Amino acid sequence: MSEPDGPPATFQQRLRWLMTPPQAYLAYFIAVLLIGGASFYAGSLKPNKKSLVPPQSLQHPAPPQN
């Protein structure tokens, strides 16, 4: 195998290559997996127990009943 003599591909050339149909399908599938995985991970995190803001029931007490 011989190596090409031309200059290395630029970002624009690689992006154009990535946007051709076979590579675009794979890139889209990988993006969906990454975004779905990140969303699943973020949704599975436990919320912080301490809150700087007290619950609304403590902020505004109920008006007196007559």
Side-chain angles (χ1 to χ4, degrees):
M1 297 194 90
S2 63
E3 294 186 24
D5 293 335
T10 64
F11 180 73
Q12 293 289 334
Q13 290 171 338
R14 290 182 187 196
L15 186 62
R16 192 175 308 126
W17 173 83
L18 184 64
M19 293 175 67
T20 57
Q23 293 88 357
Y25 298 139
L26 183 62
Y28 180 78
F29 180 70
I30 291 172
V32 167
L33 286 179
L34 288 175
I35 292 170
S39 297
F40 179 78
Y41 176 72
S44 68
L45 295 175
K46 292 183 179 180
N48 191 1
K49 299 292 182 186
K50 294 181 180 179
S51 176
L52 297 177
V53 179
Q56 190 169 1
S57 61
L58 296 177
Q59 286 181 353
H60 303 290
Q65 299 291 328
N66 291 341

